[in-house]
Amino acid sequence: RSYAWKQAGVYAVQATVNDCKGGSDAHSLSVTVASTSIPAQSITVLSPNGGEKWVVGNTYPIKWQAQGFDKAVILVTDYTYSSEVSDWIVKEVDASTASYLWTISQDLFISHPQWKYGDNFKIFIAELKSNGTYGVQDKSDAYFSITIPAPTNP
């Protein structure tokens, strides 16, 4: 006979065996039943999450919390003209690292001449599925800025 437990936990079980000559034997044991639920998938962008002022040429940590998947993709999006033009920061990163150091290159603005410096950027992070599509995703709650370095006096 078998039994299926509906909840995880530790259970005391006693099995008794009877033979055809009237003999019997009992044995007690403890059974641990683990949860079979799959953890919920989620991702939350922590930084930049709005209001940060980042400068081209400097390196900044992009931070997130992720659960329930292995790989992530990170993009930066410019909302200057509500066009939502994005560019890759990294095409694949281990989601459990929860941080990626991004050096903001001037090439970002050269390859996207329509992009403008200022407070019009958001980070987009998503689960990268094995088939190349995106799963759970999040983006910065508010805009952060990317500016050029202040000029230095000779």
Side-chain angles (χ1 to χ4, degrees):
R1 182 179 228 197
S2 65
Y3 183 80
W5 281 271
K6 295 185 185 349
Q7 291 185 326
V10 178
Y11 298 92
V13 176
Q14 182 172 349
T16 304
V17 176
N18 299 311
D19 66 19
C20 62
K21 295 182 180 179
S24 68
D25 192 19
H27 184 71
S28 296
L29 63 120
S30 177
V31 174
T32 301
V33 178
S35 172
T36 58
S37 64
I38 298 170
Q41 293 180 314
S42 66
I43 189 159
T44 304
V45 174
L46 302 176
S47 173
N49 208 28
E52 296 87 349
K53 298 190 181 312
W54 289 4
V55 179
V56 169
N58 292 348
T59 301
Y60 301 93
I62 297 170
K63 296 181 180 182
W64 65 90
Q65 288 180 330
Q67 173 179 303
F69 60 94
D70 298 325
K71 300 291 180 189
V73 60
I74 306 173
L75 294 96
V76 61
T77 304
D78 175 19
Y79 290 85
T80 300
Y81 301 107
S82 299
S83 59
E84 295 190 31
V85 176
S86 297
D87 199 356
W88 298 101
I89 292 175
V90 61
K91 293 184 179 185
E92 184 176 309
V93 64
D94 183 345
S96 67
T97 62
S99 183
Y100 181 82
L101 290 176
W102 179 36
T103 301
I104 305 172
S105 172
Q106 180 63 39
D107 291 345
L108 190 64
F109 292 89
I110 293 170
S111 61
H112 298 284
Q114 73 276 25
W115 283 24
K116 305 294 180 204
Y117 298 104
D119 60 349
N120 44 310
F121 296 92
K122 288 187 178 184
I123 291 295
F124 171 85
I125 305 176
E127 169 194 12
L128 179 60
K129 294 184 175 190
S130 59
N131 64 3
T133 62
Y134 299 157
V136 293
Q137 51 195 255
D138 191 33
K139 63 183 173 185
S140 305
D141 289 341
Y143 300 111
F144 70 96
S145 66
I146 298 177
T147 62
I148 56 173
T152 56
N153 292 331

